[in-house]
Amino acid sequence: PSSTTMSSLPTSPSSARTHPQYTSLPCLSPFKSSPSLSQWHSILPQLAIATPNGVVTVYDGETGEKVDASMSRTQNACALSWHGERGILVAGWKDGALLVYNQDDQDKKTREIQPETGAPITCIKWCPDGQRFIACDANSTVSIWRLARGDKCEKIQEYKAQEPIEFIDFKATNIALKNESEQHGESAADDGASQPGTPAADEYASTNDWIFFLAGNEGMVYVADDVGHMRVAFNMKSPIAAFLHYEEKNTFVTLTYKSVLALYEVDDDLKIKQSMRSKINVSTGGNCPDLKALWVGRGVMATCANETLIRVWNLDTDDSYQLTTNEIRDPIVNIAFNPRKRVISGVTTTGIIYSWQFVGSESDPQGDEDWELYSTFTAERPTVSFLQWGPGESLLSYCTDEGAMILHETTLKRKMRGQMVAIQTSTNQLNIERVLDSSSQQSATSRGALPVKAGISIRDLDLSNTHVALSNGKQVEIYVLKEGIQSFTAKDPINVSASAIGVHRENLFVCTMNRLEVYNFNGTKKQTITFSQTEGDPACIDICEDYIAVGTTNSHLKLFQMTGRETRPIGVAKKLFEDSKRRITSVCVNCTGQKVSILSKDVHKSGIQQPSTFLTVFDINLNKVDEHNFAQYGRYPVSHFWDEIEPKMISVEAKRFSSMNKKDTGGLVALNVDGGVAVEIFSLFSTPDDGVLKQDSFPLDRKLACLVGTKVPSLYFVAKEEDTAQSMIQRKSMRDFEGINVQDNETRDALLHFSYFLTIGSMEEAYKAVKTIKDTNVWHNMAQMCVKTKKMDVAEICLSNMQNARASKALREAKREPEIEAQIAMLAIQLGMIEEAEKLYKTCGRFDLLSNLYQSMGDWDQALSTCQKHDRIHLKTMHYQYARYLEQIGEFQDAIRHYELSKNHKYEIPRMLFDAEKIQLLHQYIQQHNDSDLQKWWAQYCEGNGDYESAFNYYVKAKDYFSLVRMNCFMKQFDQAAEIVKASGDRSSAFHLARQLESAGQFDEAIKYYKVARRFRHAIGVAMQRDMPQEAWNIAIEAPANVKVEAAHYFEEKNMKDKAVLLYQKGGYVSKAIDLCFKSELFDVLLQIADSLDENADPSILIRCGDFFAKHHKYEKAVMMYINAQEVERALEICQRHNVIISEDMANKMTPPKTENPEQQNNRDRRLLQIAQATEAQGSYQIATKLYVQAGDKAKAMRVLIKSGDTQKIIYFAVLSRKKDLYILAANYLQTLEWHNNSELTSSISSFYKKAKSWDKLALFYEACSQVEIDEYRDYEKALDALKDSLKYLNKVPRVVRSKVEELKSKIASIERFLAVQKADRSDSESMEQICRELLRDAEYTEAVRIGDIYALLVENYHSAGEKQKAYQIILEMKDQKIELGYYLGHSLLKDISQSLGVPLSELEDAPRGSPGVDAPADPMYDPTQMLDEDTSFQEEFLDEDL
């Protein structure tokens, strides 16, 4: 397609350079018609356009050509949406169908989803994760589609809204969403807000990481997810014009066509609340059908409403302003925003596109001053719609009634070579100027520019001192400059395909395909240099002196040198980037041909291109590649220029990243970006050891367009001014040369060396470079350089060479500040660099020093503003200083206001107005302000002038009771003064009145008011002087301690001893009170005093009281006195002698504190043992136990505790102590109790013996248990188990007596035989009797089994067999053996035998019950009480004496 260049501005060279130029690329369609839709991809330069014939076409934004085959249907497309990253386009059609176009799908680029409802699609939007998209139709159906495997689309959810959806937005969350019905516990089918999911939805498990908001065309807004939840979020009750998501604040901004703006906040729990609602002002009135809105910054929204302006609303500050210009005559009907360049564009009804660029600071918004007019463009057709900015910075599209147009912002070329500069001013025009080295002119040229109009569109250019070459990629034009730049002649064009061109003397270098071709200016090819496939095709070229640098498409760098008429390579091609994504975009070689700088871009597989943030420098001699990353400044380089004199210095023009979001900057994050600086100029040094180092940077002035070249001591820029009388080139001195007229190369080189060594940190070499310079301007300039490099030591040297003593002193004093920035700021102030000082103070956060700077400059508004925002602790001080300044210049009203703000107005305003003799103004001020301090000041003023009535009135207003009483006393009006004191209760007033009454001889009244004033010394002094003891006593009782003591002296002298003693005591003179009690024998009073004494009292006093109480048989009192005096031996002696019971509190007081000193600790233990013995003797076993434990004698503690008989505490103490002897003592004690009826005691005894490993005692215990089972319960089985346990533990005893073991074994065997007889067959009575008789004859056996049990077995056997006569014979035999029948035979058995044989029952029960027979239950086998202290008896029983 053909391309044309259009601009609404004049095309003269001088004026065209003010605004950017656009190349129009028409998007050709089969027939001319107005597109119905257009949509740019967010990253790829591709534009989708829908036309009324049912065709959707994708165009390349760079060329305007079709990317691929079009999508077409019989219906028209009504919605378009691109995938966020991939080349996938979803188109919605009027019949409800969806077409998915996928550039990556080679098999099937277009997939159709058949319509279900037949309703037109109203909107489509992809989820930010790229996995889902939402499509809504006019039938209020909301469908959610998932991008499945193979890029196929599957429906995962469907909802039915109450109105067609017009807007969709997403919010990230990790909270599950609920329906309204679920929130209220109702059925989901009742309200119809949510419908069951499709089968695909059941298989699709949502992570709930995104929810979406849907805005309907009637004002209803829904919130939903993709797993079946949807509910109404809020209702605007009016058609919605714009629905925006403020992600940083989790807020949705809704704007209706009725100009109602509402903000709804969404918290972390997905609860929605309205935070703001207001009606915005538009000139069209309440209803505005053409209202449009979009984001133009963080929290900043722009709107157009068919007005001749664009309104901008800052939602964070609630500010609004307008963007317009006098040129706008027609309403703006559409707006668009480019987030990378921060450009707002608006198109009018006549087809004029106006653009404004943001140039302010986001941290300090200033309104419309933050925006400046960027460009103006007139479309070919007046009717313009769908104005949209594309990805990147240079693509803008619009649609007319004849098709779509893509505006490609042209990057104007510029080139500086020696003294010649060529600047492109439009697509086919350029200006040529000659640069002079004059340092006395702001303009850098000798005369006006020479305009050149080419016959081609300029895509590349180069020049020498005599020739200019222009190329459009297919043709090269050569122009010969004559007589300097007075005129030119054009040579015949050279038809050659060229990706880049270069000019060297009489040679033209052309990069074409895989070759570098050399032509003369007549078009004759002189030389061809071929590049290998590995090296790639030449893409860019730069020539300086005789050196040529070429960058290739495969990231190779190749260097050449012109020697005579031949171009020879220097070395081999250098592979610069191992990363295949990096591509070279520009190269620049220095004046010695030893260093080449390279700019590059990153090209991703998806086709996304973004400029690299790296400046790469290749050192040919060292074969070394260095890189400097501009991302650390939040910028990326766009152009670079080596200095034409200094081979190590390079200047770079760098642009800032957009502050909108990461996606707009290709994922790069800007750091420390000044939002108000779009372009910044960097000066760098390429060093052999430290790589590329930054030397200086400064923002590009808004009056300058771009950097064009550098030549020490100047940088050269293209100016924006439209004054044709001046040059387009403006010169700016480098930082190191500002204010210096460099007339010789020696000074220039010295400063360059100084700057270089300062940059690399070599201070010694830097000083050597300039130490011979005497020019103070040079040293001043170097001192300014130290401000930017923050070199304090170098700055001191510069100031000394400048002989600036005041600055040197200020710098020494500034070193007290901890921040280096604050120190450097003081240097900047002394050098007049106020702006730099401000920045430094802000950087280090020293806003106090910044406000002082503003104050010293007289900029009080800035000083107050700084304190208000950042240094509120000094805000009052700043108001005070400003008030003093205003007072000095006579601005009294303003001074009053600032004195009030400083909170010093109560003193300073009366002083100021009094000194200025403005008494009337002062009186008015006091009357206007109901302030007691001011009223008091005026009352004193009136009193001093003798106006007592006015003074009295103002004292009343000020509630100054003291002054009122003072005046009444002065006038001898004591009654009125007394009334004031009574009414106010003011103590100072009462004191003054009392003094006056005392002077007047009214002593009783004086004492009364002294008491009201709480001046007891004065009151009691009057009473004592007037010999009023009762009054003095009454006063002394209320008086403080020191006054009580004085009164006690008085009463002692008056021989009123009891009162004196009490006052001495209450006054803290206890010893004096006790002495007086002893002398006067006031025993009752002494007892009262003793009750108030504690351990904090004087020990000597306590001992005296103790002796006194002991002498008078008050032993309890005496003991307490001795204890408090720490005379414990005497206290214990009285307790033991006179049986004074020692309480736990007394014992605690007698116990010395713990200490780390061994000797003191031994004394403490002895003391504890003494007290424990005393309490034990008194029967206070609990206290004694505690004291023994504290003394470390746990054995005695256990013995005392056993005496107390507290079984639970004994068990607890034994368990807690975990000592063998205590376990044994506790177990021995427990055996003295009824343990055989208490399983817990039995378990404790066994456990304690086991823990103590006292196997002998444990064996005896189990043997005792066996005997108890036999004697008490006749349970031989349990007895057998106990004997076995006894034998088991007895075997664990070392040196055990073997006879005892054999005895236990014999008992076990006997019992086992008896149990066998018990369990044997009893049918044969005679055999049973024979066996039992054998048992009875066995003497050994009878030691383990009682004889009575054997006889009882026979009786029971005969009785059960019915042989009652034989049973009776056995009973008689038992009686003969004197065996008590009641222990072995039951009463019912005896009664049955008696009745059966006719034998009287008494005959069978005649044995006396109190006298057991030979086989009656015996006493216990041992006495456990003896085991408590006679452990040796057990040893003697169990241990072999021989061993």
Side-chain angles (χ1 to χ4, degrees), residues 684-815:
L684 306 104
F685 278 111
S686 176
T687 67
D689 300 323
D690 300 317
V692 181
L693 300 178
K694 174 186 170 183
Q695 186 258 349
D696 184 28
S697 67
F698 59 89
L700 182 65
D701 193 285
R702 293 183 184 178
K703 297 180 180 180
L704 302 177
C706 58
L707 178 67
V708 73
T710 172
K711 185 177 181 181
V712 175
S714 301
L715 296 168
Y716 295 89
F717 299 89
V718 178
K720 285 184 178 180
E721 284 79 4
E722 298 184 7
D723 186 0
T724 57
Q726 293 187 357
S727 167
M728 292 178 63
I729 304 301
Q730 293 293 318
R731 183 180 58 83
K732 175 180 173 61
S733 295
M734 295 180 178
R735 182 191 67 184
D736 306 350
F737 297 90
E738 289 180 354
I740 302 176
N741 186 6
V742 180
Q743 299 292 346
D744 60 282
N745 294 338
E746 183 180 354
T747 303
R748 181 195 66 192
D749 294 340
L751 289 175
L752 276 174
H753 292 156
F754 173 80
S755 179
Y756 174 76
F757 289 121
L758 199 65
T759 302
I760 65 175
S762 179
M763 306 309 301
E764 182 177 354
E765 294 296 329
Y767 178 67
K768 287 180 181 179
V770 295
K771 65 180 182 179
T772 58
I773 297 178
K774 303 300 182 181
D775 189 350
T776 56
N777 290 330
V778 175
W779 289 106
H780 183 274
N781 189 56
M782 287 191 292
Q784 289 181 329
M785 191 189 313
C786 294
V787 172
K788 294 192 176 183
T789 57
K790 299 180 182 179
K791 302 291 185 181
M792 285 290 291
D793 48 355
V794 180
E796 291 176 348
I797 297 174
C798 295
L799 292 178
S800 64
N801 282 279
M802 291 169 57
Q803 299 182 359
N804 192 335
R806 184 181 65 180
S808 299
K809 178 184 178 184
L811 202 60
R812 286 195 301 271
E813 294 176 351
K815 285 186 176 181

Side-chain angles (χ1 to χ4, degrees), residues 993-1187:
L993 176 59
R995 293 291 298 269
Q996 297 298 318
L997 291 172
E998 182 183 358
S999 300
Q1002 300 181 26
F1003 301 109
D1004 292 339
E1005 292 297 313
I1007 291 173
K1008 173 184 175 182
Y1009 286 104
Y1010 275 135
K1011 291 170 68 176
V1012 172
R1014 310 295 291 175
R1015 297 299 185 94
F1016 296 104
R1017 176 175 278 107
H1018 291 80
I1020 206 167
V1022 173
M1024 290 189 295
Q1025 289 176 5
R1026 308 305 300 173
D1027 197 17
M1028 304 165 65
Q1030 186 59 40
E1031 190 67 32
W1033 170 254
N1034 295 335
I1035 297 170
I1037 292 300
E1038 302 180 45
N1042 56 347
V1043 178
K1044 282 184 172 66
V1045 174
E1046 294 179 8
H1049 288 302
Y1050 169 76
F1051 285 110
E1052 186 178 1
E1053 292 174 358
K1054 288 289 186 179
N1055 202 27
M1056 303 171 71
K1057 307 296 185 181
D1058 53 343
K1059 288 183 172 60
V1061 168
L1062 186 58
L1063 291 175
Y1064 276 133
Q1065 179 201 358
K1066 292 184 178 296
Y1069 280 56
V1070 181
S1071 58
K1072 179 69 175 176
I1074 292 174
D1075 287 339
L1076 195 57
C1077 287
F1078 289 154
K1079 292 178 182 178
S1080 306
E1081 296 185 352
L1082 301 174
F1083 300 129
D1084 295 337
V1085 178
L1086 183 59
L1087 286 173
Q1088 296 178 7
I1089 296 175
D1091 290 337
S1092 65
L1093 297 177
D1094 56 16
E1095 61 273 10
N1096 297 321
D1098 187 353
S1100 61
I1101 296 174
L1102 293 171
I1103 293 173
R1104 290 181 60 188
C1105 291
D1107 295 341
F1108 176 81
F1109 289 130
K1111 181 179 178 182
H1112 291 82
H1113 308 293
K1114 301 289 185 181
Y1115 300 115
E1116 291 81 359
K1117 289 281 187 182
V1119 169
M1120 290 306 302
M1121 294 297 106
Y1122 287 137
I1123 290 175
N1124 289 334
Q1126 291 300 309
E1127 291 290 331
V1128 178
E1129 283 78 5
R1130 297 176 67 176
L1132 287 174
E1133 181 183 356
I1134 293 177
C1135 290
Q1136 293 172 347
R1137 183 181 301 174
H1138 300 287
N1139 197 26
V1140 177
I1141 302 300
I1142 301 175
S1143 65
E1144 187 173 358
D1145 182 62
M1146 294 168 62
N1148 291 335
K1149 289 184 177 180
M1150 287 189 284
T1151 302
K1154 290 184 178 181
T1155 178
E1156 299 294 334
N1157 190 308
E1159 183 177 355
Q1160 294 179 357
Q1161 186 63 31
N1162 292 334
N1163 294 333
R1164 179 178 184 273
D1165 294 341
R1166 284 195 295 271
R1167 176 72 57 79
L1168 286 168
L1169 291 175
Q1170 292 176 359
I1171 302 171
Q1173 292 169 0
T1175 54
E1176 182 182 1
Q1178 293 177 353
S1180 301
Y1181 299 121
Q1182 303 287 348
I1183 300 175
T1185 301
K1186 178 180 176 182
L1187 294 171

Side-chain angles (χ1 to χ4, degrees), residues 1176-1202:
E1176 182 182 1
Q1178 293 177 353
S1180 301
Y1181 299 121
Q1182 303 287 348
I1183 300 175
T1185 301
K1186 178 180 176 182
L1187 294 171
Y1188 277 128
V1189 171
Q1190 291 179 354
D1193 194 344
K1194 293 185 178 180
K1196 288 187 177 180
M1198 176 61 82
R1199 295 179 188 278
V1200 173
L1201 195 58
I1202 288 174

Side-chain angles (χ1 to χ4, degrees), residues 890-934:
E891 298 289 341
F892 295 110
Q893 290 296 340
D894 290 338
I896 288 173
R897 182 168 61 88
H898 285 281
Y899 274 133
E900 290 175 345
L901 292 173
S902 70
K903 306 301 180 184
N904 290 293
H905 59 287
K906 296 181 180 181
Y907 169 77
E908 293 295 341
I909 292 177
R911 177 201 57 76
M912 175 184 69
L913 297 179
F914 182 80
D915 292 345
E917 298 182 357
K918 294 184 177 295
I919 304 302
Q920 187 63 31
L921 180 60
L922 174 59
H923 190 203
Q924 293 175 0
Y925 179 80
I926 292 174
Q927 286 180 329
Q928 292 172 359
H929 296 76
N930 188 22
D931 188 281
S932 58
D933 292 328
L934 295 175

Side-chain angles (χ1 to χ4, degrees), residues 347-544:
V347 61
T348 66
T349 54
T350 56
I352 303 177
I353 301 174
Y354 296 91
S355 297
W356 291 264
Q357 187 172 35
F358 183 81
V359 294
S361 170
E362 290 184 354
S363 60
D364 187 22
Q366 301 293 329
D368 58 350
E369 299 177 3
D370 291 337
W371 301 83
E372 66 179 18
L373 188 63
Y374 179 70
S375 67
T376 303
F377 180 84
T378 302
E380 294 181 349
R381 303 287 296 177
T383 304
V384 174
S385 60
F386 302 113
L387 182 68
Q388 292 178 324
W389 276 98
E393 299 184 3
S394 59
L395 299 177
L396 177 66
S397 67
Y398 65 91
C399 299
T400 67
D401 54 359
E402 292 188 355
M405 299 291 291
I406 298 176
L407 300 182
H408 197 293
E409 184 175 329
T410 304
T411 302
L412 300 180
K413 304 294 182 179
R414 74 266 192 192
K415 187 70 176 182
M416 179 176 177
R417 180 81 63 83
Q419 294 183 341
M420 304 301 294
V421 181
I423 304 167
Q424 183 183 0
T425 58
S426 67
T427 306
N428 61 345
Q429 293 189 19
L430 73 155
N431 282 3
I432 301 174
E433 296 190 29
R434 182 184 296 275
V435 177
L436 299 181
D437 293 332
S438 173
S439 60
S440 60
Q441 305 176 39
Q442 180 64 24
S443 174
T445 58
S446 59
R447 57 175 56 86
L450 174 65
V452 177
K453 187 172 183 178
I456 58 176
S457 296
I458 302 172
R459 292 184 57 184
D460 196 11
L461 63 84
D462 199 8
L463 81 163
S464 64
N465 289 332
T466 57
H467 294 81
V468 177
L470 308 176
S471 170
N472 66 351
K474 298 179 180 180
Q475 193 178 67
V476 178
E477 291 184 351
I478 306 294
Y479 296 89
V480 182
L481 304 178
K482 294 183 177 180
E483 300 178 6
I485 55 171
Q486 295 293 327
S487 62
F488 65 88
T489 59
K491 286 184 170 291
D492 293 334
I494 303 174
N495 295 319
V496 59
S497 177
S499 58
I501 61 172
V503 176
H504 180 267
R505 298 178 186 169
E506 300 296 327
N507 300 308
L508 172 67
F509 290 83
V510 178
C511 297
T512 175
M513 299 182 68
N514 64 339
R515 304 181 302 278
L516 176 64
E517 298 178 343
V518 185
Y519 294 84
N520 62 21
F521 293 144
N522 294 322
T524 303
K525 185 186 298 185
K526 299 171 59 178
Q527 186 179 357
T528 299
I529 302 172
T530 305
F531 286 70
S532 67
Q533 185 176 0
T534 303
E535 293 170 345
D537 299 337
C540 52
I541 187 172
D542 183 64
I543 301 174
C544 183

